[in-house]
Amino acid sequence: MIMELEVPDFGQEHEHGARILDFGQEHQHGDRENTTTEEPLTTDHTYSKEITITPTTTENHFSSIRASALFTTTTTQQTTPSATPSPTPCIGGGLNRTDARLDEECGAHSEEAKCIVSNSACTKTSIASTWRCRCVQGYAEKNNSCLQLPTKLFRQESEKVSINLPESSPMGHQVLKVDFTEVDGFHKITPTAEMMGPGSDSFSVSPANTANFVVTVSSSTLSKSKYDIFVVVSVTVDGIVIRDFIHVVITITRNKIIEKNIFVIDGTPKDSVVGIVCQSCLSGDAVTTITPDDVVSVEKDGSIKTTTHINLDTLGGPQTIAYSSYIHIKQNGNLVANMTIIIVRLHYNISLMEDSGRNTVVGNLKLSIPFSINTRDLALNNNSLMLGSVSLDYQKEQEVHETLVLSVSGAAFSIQIIIKVQDVNNKAPVFLGAPYRFVTVQSAYTDLTVGVVTAVDHDMHAHLTYEIIPSDKLSINKNGVISIHSKFDPSTTIYNAKVTVRDGIYNDSEEITVDIRQAANVELNKTFNGTIDENEGAPTVIVTVKVFEYENYRFADQSAKNDFTIDSKTGEIRNARAFDREKEQEFKHTIVASKENEAACSLAVIGIVTILVKDVNDEPPIFFDAPYNATVVEEKQDKDLSVVPGLSTTDKDLNQTVIYSLLTNGETFYIDPKNGTIKTKVAIDREKHPLLDIKVNAFDGIHNSYTTVTVKIMDINDNDPVITGPKSYNVSEDSSVGTTVGLMTASDADEGKNAKITFDLVAEGGYFRINQITGNILVSRELDRETVGTHHMTVFARDNGDNIRPSSATVIVTIDDVNDNAPVFGQDQITVLFEENSSCANHITTISASDADKAYTPNSQIEYFLRRGEDNFKVNKQSGILTCNDYLDYEQKVSYEIIVEARDKGSPKMSSAQTVIVQVIDINDNSPIFVDINSRIIIRYFSGGRVVDIFKATDMDSGENGKVHFSIAGNATQFLQIGKVDGILRTKTDANTPPKGDYYLNVTVTDNGIKPLTNTTSLVVIVQQLIEQSIKFMEQKINMKIQENSPHNSPIESVSKYVINTENKNLMFDIIDESADLSFSLHRETGMVTVIKHIDREMKEIHEFVVRVRNTDTTEQSDLALVRVSIVDENDNEPIFVQKAYYFTINENEQIGTVVSPPERKIMATDADSGDNALIEFKLYGEGCHSAFSPKYEGSNTLSIQLAVQVDYEVNRRCSFTIEAFNPNDMTKSSNVSVVIDITDYNDNVPEFEGHSNYVYTVSLPEDTNINTNLKPFGQVFDKDSRENGDIELSVVNDDGCWFTVNRVVDEMFLKVKPTIILDYDKGDVQNTCTLKASDKGVPKLSSTATLSINITDVNDNPPVISDPDIILNVSRDADPGTVIVDRIPTTDIDSGVNGMLVYRLESSEHSSRFAIDANTGKITVNTVLQSVQKDEIMLSVIVSDKGLPQRSTRAQVTIKIKDDNPRPFFVVPSVSVNIQEHTNIDDGILGVALAHDRKDSGEINICDCTYLLDTKRDDIIIGKDTGVIKFRNSNHTLDRENEYGGQVIVGVIATDKGENPKNSSTMQFKIKISDINDQVPVFNRINYAFGIFQYAPDETYIGEVNAVDLDENPVTHYFINITESSVGSVVKIDKLTGKIVKSGNMSLSSAQNVQIKVGLIHILRFIHPITSPC
């Protein structure tokens, strides 16, 4: 609590009793000026206590109260009270002084009397500069005593009151009642009370009585959680204001907990606002929340935000459709809100098996609050959504869509439920076409197909398996194909079996019957061999296959006729065409014949003939996977090309040898003639030759082959970006942030990342930014052309190569002006003077305004207009010259207030106004005019000094021009005189009585103008002298007084008492010069002067008129007297300010006591009253910073404003307050004027760095930081000043030595690596120091500096480097384990620490385990014996890695050549194919021969003496170990094409030589291609077909379609139809190729509307080509 006493400032003496009071001061006396005492007496009354008010609570208003809480104490010299011992001598001596009480005079400095009342002192007053006894500071007068004022107004001790107020408190509810302290010794006074502070408008305060005040609720809604308010009360005692205030903290208690539901959609991003608790009800207090899931948070403004990406899978599980959580919000420990968070999926997917029942859970609604659902088929069980009546059938639909409407607390959500149906094995397989009956012959060979059974399963992905029982003779494969695997007994004619099909759960069975028929057959098992050179023309005899007693020789496989011919009689086989060994090396065919002269239907299999094709050099080399693509880095000489795939050739001929050469670009490249490796001869510039084609030739001694290698030259970063396009742009100053300014373009002759351009922009002020990818320059902060009209910036374009190359350009952005500045006048109001009657050609003044917009443009071109005053004035639109329309006449109007508008020509137009006061200067242009002139004057009685008459004159001019004086001339002047000012004509006091007669008198009235004007009137003075005057006035001038505003008919005084009537005659009174404007009347009989009109002192202060008294009987007895009525002033006028408002400026740098600008502009008030009623005192009041200023009385009711407390532009930029002018005698007589003082900025703040330690910023950056790296701000720099004083230029003092640029965006500082700098820790770039300088643009220019210390840290940016990455080593195949192959692999890594530590390992491969490597040195040793290694050369990949993060590696290719004398055998061709017919026996079961070759030391190639084995596991095929003959294990074994994958068998053959350390060849593929025979029966897809058709359908109407399948190769199937039952004959037909059935006859029946046709048999015929025999 703080107590304030506000007392007058006794430190200044003012004229006219004018007083000046500070905020809130009120005084009853206007005469306290200076106070002195005989003895020094100090009364420093500082009534204050400490108050703790934070700025956010008190705001600016209470900041000013806090500042003024300690009063400025005035030390005064005061008269010591009588109780004070040993008084010192008074200043003026003052012997024999008397005692003086309160308000009694004491003489200057108490030299005449001493003040005897305790706590009083002698004080100079304004009443005639008298000194009077008054109470000293801190005391007030009461009953002629000085009583001490209280130190506080509140009785309670605490200065702060805390109250809890229920939220539901109604308007008018009493919040607080506080008692006052009685002002001791004074009568009780009701204080005034007001409320301040944020939120105070929600409450009201009023004094209940003189003892207490109450605070009540005045708002219907208490939205805040806490209110910080201040109740300020004040009382006025003896003109002294006592003020006190109390701090009231009102905490709103929520008696009703806020209950809300917040709905959130699954997938809502983080930081999304999803709801609100309440508007601003949580501000100002610490708010705590309780939530189990931590998915939302509550902000200070009451909004609810998500704290994470909302994912229902995480919160409730993948089967959760809706989920509820909660958040409890507490304030000051009390629960204020309970928010339920409801999270809903709008799309829900689940997979269910098709056999799921109605009680299957589809999903869960994990909601803790009531809800309901609306769905067509789904059901709800507690909080689980069940399948209900939804039926799932995978065969009908794989996805079921259901809509679920979820209703929660009035909100409804439509949720799409998608059920993905999973197939279940719930259907049994079914045989088609049963029963099955097949036919075969008794001599049928093994693997012969008997027939096919077909089953279907309507389940998806069903896997069917077949089984046949018994299985001694027949077997069935996975396709249902039944074949013979053991011959039938000769006596068997029918064979029955049972076939079962299974799908894993269900099965079906059918009986089959096989009819076995008898036939004869002979097999001779002969073998025939022949050879033929490839390309040999036909027909050439190859071999003869004749056997005794057989004839009619032919091939069993009719396709053999395409390759060979056979003489049916002699068995001589010739080629039918030339062969290509590279495509067909061997043929095997079965020869059949008939027995000579045998008529029986028999066929003999003679045997197998094998024909080998011999090689000749007829094939050119073939480039493998040609054409080729290759790459090589530009600018590298002698660099190997990376050819993909590797350049290689194959030659189908044996003993291939190839020599490579270049046919083109031989000057650029070189090729190794043996291995085909291509290298660069010269350095190639990619920018000139991005692609080069090389034509490569391969020569095998006879043939040439060509291919093209397209070489792509790989780019290196060897070109700088080139900035193209415009570098000067314009942008409008009203452009919003994000507006495009222009597009920077750049090109780079490189490619890839070396040509990928990244843009950067460096500019002061952060007004622009650039899109680093597109180069688009954008506005980044508000523009102001008037602050910065042209921006110069540097744009960097840099590539993204490993060694960044930059270029830069200076870009100029010119800010295009918009009309955003209104014209500005230097002063809001000006006063100009202009003489009346002056010519209107004369300039009154020139109106001038300025516009900050761009010069010489419409935005700054100003035109002037009159808003007010156009009737009398005009202004030149362009020049602003103000002139009058007609002569001004002061006498008609003394001043004009006109308003001039300055308007620019921009769009939209902007304007401002200035008030111009034109004060008309009076000139002496009016002559005085006499009022009520008589033509003659009669003097009946003559005595000296008597009033004869009064002359009145008026002058319409003002001032001295309107003041007049009188003079007379003529012979009457010998005894008459006239008052120069008052115009009263009197007799001279020293004149003798003039003789009776007529005299002449000229009366002249003259004004006081510089060039005086006169008026003269002539009159006759008639002297009628009588001897004795019996009636006369005893005084020639009668003075009267009357109070202003006295009511009509108020009597003043009778003039009769001033009359001498010696003869007691009857008297009569009258006014001899009565005029229409006379305000008084005179009673004819009594002589009483009475008010008859309203009298206003301010209009006329003294009224004069001449009265006459005379005998009622005769006019000759009379006398004249002048009556002067003085109007006594009444306080009926308020002080009036000369101007309606005052505007000033002051710079914040000015010292205390400085008068605000312009100093010549004074605040003036006038009061038309007089005396004490015209006294004017001033006081300042208002909120905010008014206390920073104080009034300075300049005299004559004139005031200036001076600085009382240093002001700070950065705190307050404008002070607005009110000055009140009042009359101290009646404070209700007052008026106000507003005062606005603009505080202008002074450059008094240096730029300030923030975020440093002792002005040192320390930043650590990894060495891979480059110009592309966007770094976080490292600190801030700001300037509290404004405009140019606060506009900071940030520079680097040691720019040459600093590796970085430092940019300022808003207030934050950012580092950027210079484009030319590449940081490399490994080269010693470990630390850099930059000195930063921040300078403003003010005057004087201020700056500050800071140090930026950048530490560069190592990153793992260098891979290990192997000095020789291609290592070739030799080792003996007999080397023992531990044998060192290489001691170390020289490797370096220039990184430091763990980034440079190396570790070696072998990449896993086929033979890597046979070697070991030392992890630290790279030493390679033999790990296991090498004798079993069947390779002569092993490639090892050694990976060398560092230990940094990320780990970097490199590799070396180590070729280990295993040395011995035994080369590896090889096959001439990698693959051999033979053709056989299915179910056909081959002589001796021989399929072919695999022959390997071996190269001797001489280089000669011979057939290898090898052993052979098959690497393919197969029971029915074997190979001769020494011969390489491949045959069936059983000579009568045959193959079934339908049982082999792809209709062929592939086996692998490996040859092993017989050297000391045997070597294996690579594997050769032996392919057995099986040709098809018609051994499969077509089978219908369905057993029965039923179709329906309308009986009146036209012919060719489609009825249906039947389909059959045949497992043979390329079957041709024909369909036929037999009608087995029909009442109308054949009415359908079938397409024999497609099985399509259509109507072909009349189905009309007389007895029925529909016809049903039963089709009994549909036949299928396979067209086959049987072998013709003589039978």
Side-chain angles (χ1 to χ4, degrees), residues 1293-1550:
V1293 177
N1294 59 331
D1295 184 63
D1296 291 341
C1298 183
W1299 302 337
F1300 303 86
T1301 59
V1302 182
N1303 299 317
R1304 173 175 171 262
V1305 178
V1306 188
D1307 288 335
E1308 292 185 316
M1309 295 185 291
F1310 293 83
L1311 274 181
K1312 182 76 75 172
V1313 179
K1314 287 182 178 179
T1316 57
I1317 297 297
I1318 299 176
L1319 302 178
D1320 194 340
Y1321 178 90
D1322 311 300
K1323 293 182 179 180
D1325 300 339
V1326 297
Q1327 204 275 336
N1328 186 231
T1329 300
C1330 305
T1331 301
L1332 307 181
K1333 183 178 182 180
S1335 305
D1336 60 32
K1337 297 178 181 177
V1339 178
K1341 196 169 190 176
L1342 300 178
S1343 63
S1344 57
T1345 60
T1347 300
L1348 175 61
S1349 179
I1350 305 103
N1351 296 321
I1352 310 302
T1353 59
D1354 185 44
V1355 297
N1356 194 19
D1357 57 341
N1358 294 287
V1361 177
I1362 302 173
S1363 58
D1364 184 7
D1366 296 316
I1367 303 172
I1368 300 176
L1369 303 170
N1370 296 325
V1371 65
S1372 170
R1373 197 180 301 275
D1374 300 322
D1376 296 324
T1379 300
V1380 176
I1381 300 175
V1382 61
D1383 283 330
R1384 62 186 295 271
I1385 297 178
T1387 309
T1388 58
D1389 192 322
I1390 63 174
D1391 288 321
S1392 62
V1394 294
N1395 296 335
M1397 296 180 180
L1398 303 179
V1399 61
Y1400 299 81
R1401 65 181 176 89
L1402 291 176
E1403 187 174 43
S1404 178
S1405 61
E1406 180 183 3
H1407 297 291
S1408 60
S1409 60
R1410 295 185 179 274
F1411 303 91
I1413 190 167
D1414 188 291
N1416 295 321
T1417 65
K1419 181 171 71 174
I1420 300 176
T1421 56
V1422 176
N1423 191 40
T1424 63
V1425 293
L1426 303 177
Q1427 283 88 349
S1428 60
V1429 177
Q1430 294 300 313
K1431 289 187 175 181
D1432 298 330
E1433 191 173 275
I1434 294 175
M1435 306 291 288
L1436 295 180
S1437 184
V1438 177
I1439 299 175
V1440 187
S1441 306
D1442 57 31
K1443 296 182 180 180
L1445 289 176
Q1447 192 177 55
R1448 294 184 176 272
S1449 304
T1450 189
R1451 65 178 63 216
Q1453 196 70 32
V1454 179
T1455 303
I1456 299 177
K1457 294 186 176 181
I1458 303 175
K1459 295 295 185 180
D1460 58 19
D1461 295 330
N1462 184 19
R1464 192 176 308 284
F1466 64 93
F1467 289 99
V1468 174
V1469 291
S1471 176
V1472 173
S1473 298
V1474 297
N1475 297 312
I1476 67 171
Q1477 192 175 56
E1478 65 174 330
H1479 306 304
T1480 302
N1481 294 98
I1482 301 175
D1483 286 343
D1484 298 326
I1486 296 174
L1487 298 169
V1489 179
L1491 295 176
H1493 292 74
D1494 205 350
R1495 189 186 301 273
K1496 299 303 182 183
D1497 292 341
S1498 61
E1500 181 184 355
I1501 298 175
N1502 296 312
I1503 295 177
C1504 176
D1505 182 14
C1506 292
T1507 60
Y1508 298 90
L1509 61 88
L1510 298 178
D1511 73 347
T1512 305
K1513 184 177 181 181
R1514 193 171 174 101
D1515 294 335
D1516 56 343
I1517 298 175
I1518 61 176
I1519 190 169
K1521 178 179 179 182
D1522 295 321
T1523 63
V1525 174
I1526 302 170
K1527 64 181 181 178
F1528 290 123
R1529 185 179 297 277
N1530 297 319
S1531 60
N1532 61 350
H1533 181 70
T1534 62
L1535 297 177
D1536 184 354
R1537 188 193 67 81
E1538 286 74 30
N1539 279 345
E1540 302 297 341
Y1541 179 78
Q1544 66 178 0
V1545 176
I1546 300 176
V1547 294
V1549 181
I1550 298 175

Side-chain angles (χ1 to χ4, degrees), residues 1589-1597 1599 1622 1624-1629 1638-1645 1651 1653:
I1589 185 173
F1590 188 65
Q1591 73 179 70
Y1592 298 114
D1595 286 352
E1596 301 301 324
T1597 298
I1599 297 174
S1622 174
V1624 294
S1626 178
V1627 293
V1628 296
K1629 63 181 179 181
V1638 298
K1639 179 175 177 294
S1640 65
N1642 185 9
M1643 293 182 179
S1644 175
L1645 297 174
V1651 176
I1653 300 172

Side-chain angles (χ1 to χ4, degrees), residues 1004-1030:
T1004 301
V1005 61
T1006 306
D1007 61 29
N1008 294 338
I1010 299 300
K1011 294 181 180 180
L1013 299 176
T1014 65
N1015 194 0
T1016 301
T1017 184
S1018 298
L1019 54 103
V1020 177
V1021 179
I1022 302 171
V1023 178
Q1024 295 177 352
Q1025 184 173 0
L1026 298 180
I1027 300 173
E1028 184 178 350
Q1029 186 176 358
S1030 60

